[in-house]
Amino acid sequence: MSKTYTFEDPYFTIEVPVTTVVCAIAVVYCAWHAIVGDLLTPALMLFFMAAGIYQVWNVVVSAAHPHHVIVDDESISFCLYNRCDRYVIDEVKDLTVRGNARNGRLFIRIDNPTIFRGRYWVNTQDFTDGRELFDYVMDLECRVNPDGLRARARRNNEEYLAQQERKRRKEEGTLETVSNKDKKKRGARAREAALGTKAEKE
């Protein structure tokens, strides 16, 4: 079974192609003025150039802002325009995720990421079924890295909840037992009272 999660418009258009075009223009503009030296300082221009180049590289070269995330029973794929990076889950050796549950943002690193491949920013709140995608990626990290911090924390939390549930059931069972004992005592007293009344009449 395969499912495709899509970065919805207008968010995708604004955050990826439009931002990238603006950054590309800014790189050329800053480079020119850094050389001419007629606007601000060359050092500041170089700073803006670096930020612009970083954005352009992440979109054009490393495809780090996917338009589609495709999930099936055996793989996960990150697709942008004509490029699709597919990872077979059983072959993935390492998966690290930094996620913010409040805004749905994920930064995903797969195996040994390079500047060309393996790093992805996914803003799940702007994807179709974004919450489902967020939970899937978090679960996938625990599956790939069962000894990781997140997986251990999740197991500890599950064990704690299980202990609390056992404790609650035990207490309810004790209360029920006490309640049954009280009922038996009241029944015995009622029978004794009835027998005593009967004996007095006789």
Side-chain angles (χ1 to χ4, degrees), residues 90-149:
D90 290 340
E91 296 176 0
V92 174
K93 297 185 175 75
D94 184 53
L95 175 65
T96 304
V97 179
R98 289 209 309 263
N100 188 325
R102 287 186 294 181
N103 59 24
R105 291 185 181 276
L106 295 171
F107 176 52
I108 306 167
R109 294 167 60 90
I110 301 179
D111 286 337
N112 296 312
T114 67
I115 60 174
F116 300 100
R117 190 175 190 266
R119 299 174 301 116
Y120 306 97
W121 282 268
V122 181
N123 188 10
T124 60
Q125 69 177 358
D126 295 330
F127 275 70
T128 54
D129 295 324
R131 185 66 207 184
E132 180 182 297
L133 176 60
F134 183 92
D135 292 339
Y136 174 82
V137 173
M138 287 299 186
D139 291 341
L140 183 61
E141 182 190 24
C142 294
R143 175 180 166 185
V144 174
N145 297 329
D147 297 323
L149 291 175

Side-chain angles (χ1 to χ4, degrees), residues 39-53:
L39 186 64
L40 298 178
T41 63
L44 187 58
M45 286 297 176
L46 290 174
F47 172 79
F48 288 136
M49 283 178 58
I53 291 171

Side-chain angles (χ1 to χ4, degrees), residues 125-190:
Q125 69 177 358
D126 295 330
F127 275 70
T128 54
D129 295 324
R131 185 66 207 184
E132 180 182 297
L133 176 60
F134 183 92
D135 292 339
Y136 174 82
V137 173
M138 287 299 186
D139 291 341
L140 183 61
E141 182 190 24
C142 294
R143 175 180 166 185
V144 174
N145 297 329
D147 297 323
L149 291 175
R150 195 187 308 278
R152 290 203 301 269
R154 180 174 291 188
R155 283 197 299 272
N156 290 339
N157 185 54
E158 289 174 351
E159 289 174 3
Y160 173 76
L161 292 176
Q163 289 175 357
Q164 293 297 106
E165 179 65 16
R166 287 194 296 269
K167 182 179 179 181
R168 184 185 65 79
R169 289 182 178 179
K170 184 177 180 181
E171 289 175 351
E172 287 180 353
T174 302
L175 290 173
E176 185 179 351
T177 302
V178 171
S179 178
N180 288 336
K181 287 181 179 178
D182 289 342
K183 288 179 182 178
K184 289 179 180 178
K185 287 180 180 178
R186 287 198 296 270
R189 285 197 295 269

Side-chain angles (χ1 to χ4, degrees), residues 14 27 33 39 44 55 59 63 75 93 98 170 196 200:
I14 294 170
V27 168
H33 285 285
L39 186 64
L44 187 58
Q55 171 67 20
V59 173
S75 68
K93 297 185 175 75
R98 289 209 309 263
K170 184 177 180 181
E200 287 175 2

